[in-house]
């Protein structure tokens, strides 16, 4: 059942990405949500509708938590199959840079990460996997990243956290080899999975974290809320993803 769903979702992710890349070259609508730089486009909404419709066909009893609210936005519990959908992650990049955005989808069963998918859209590379399944980029297995310490690697921290000097995060950045800000949780999660980053700190909504968490944990990375607890699947969390060593290094700085 899960293997069959997995094969179907891999095809879905590729189809949605092809649609996204072709829609980029046609006119689309852009609207603001909570703030002038919090954008949603008609492509986000079309993707979400396509994904939600597909999930309802292949997994009829599931619950769907999708960012733009076309699925069931306010699901009450994590019982059974819960699909968590980010139809375009990095919408600001999609609009302004036309690069560095992705599509994310995850299946949690009874609250446990089961399958995660992150499409690196411009490169048409699909990262997928989950607990006990391994993690792959397309058909190629990804080895677990080395357990590097903070000073030997790059860290991504979302810009508001640095600008507002929260949790001594500028000091964390100074202790790393370098600071990176990709503007897309999807791209930053890929950075963690591939070992390009040793840490990533950001306020993440359920659809920003779900897919990356399913893969990062399988690769032995630490995924936790900044207070050390396990992130809640249905809430926004201030999240740290890191190698085990970098997570200890960061904990010493943020106290
Ligand atoms: C956003 C991006 C951004 C992160 C925000 C997310 P969206 O997702 O991943 O990097 O810092 O917290 O909301 O809105 O483009 O899907
Ligand atoms: Ca989004
Ligand atoms: Ca997002």
């Amino acid at each position: 059942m899960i293997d069959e769903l997995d094969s179907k979702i891999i095809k879905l992710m590729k189809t949605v990405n092809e649609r996204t890349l072709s829609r980029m070259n046609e006119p689309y609508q852009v609207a603001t949500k909570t703030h002038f730089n919090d954008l949603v486009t008609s492509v986000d909404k079309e993707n979400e509708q396509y994904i939600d419709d597909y999930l309802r066909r292949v997994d009829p009893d599931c619950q769907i938590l999708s960012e733009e609210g076309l699925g069931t936005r306010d699901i009450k519990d994590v019982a059974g199959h819960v699909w968590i959908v980010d139809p375009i992650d990095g919408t600001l990049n999609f609009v302004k840079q036309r690069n560095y955005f992705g599509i994310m989808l995850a299946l949690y069963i009874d609250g446990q990460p089961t399958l995660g998918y992150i499409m690196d859209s411009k490169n048409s590379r699909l990262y997928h996997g989950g607990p006990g399944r391994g993690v792959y980029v397309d058909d190629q297995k990804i080895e677990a990243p080395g357990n590097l310490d903070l000073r030997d690697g790059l860290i991504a921290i979302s810009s508001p956290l640095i600008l507002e000097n929260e949790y001594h995060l500028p000091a964390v950045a100074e202790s790393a080899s370098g600071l990176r800000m990709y503007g897309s949780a999807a791209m930053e999660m890929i950075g963690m999975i591939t070992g390009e980053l040793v840490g990533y700190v950001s306020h993440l909504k359920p659809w920003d974290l779900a897919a990356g968490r399913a893969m990062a944990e399988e690769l032995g990375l630490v995924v936790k809320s900044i207070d050390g607890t396990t992130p809640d699947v249905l809430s926004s969390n201030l999240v740290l993803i890191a190698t085990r060593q970098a997570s200890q290094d960061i904990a010493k700085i943020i106290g």
Side-chain angles (χ1 to χ4, degrees), residues 9 17-19 35 72 84 112 114 133 135 168-169 183:
I9 302 301
N17 197 47
E18 281 160 18
R19 290 167 56 99
H35 194 249
T72 326
I84 305 176
Q112 296 306 311
T114 304
R133 307 179 68 83
V135 177
H168 307 298
L169 288 168

Side-chain angles (χ1 to χ4, degrees), residues 67 86 88-91 183-185 202-203 205 208:
E67 179 179 11
D86 193 334
I88 295 182
D89 178 78
T91 300
S184 156
S202 184
H203 274 292
K205 301 195 181 85
D208 296 317

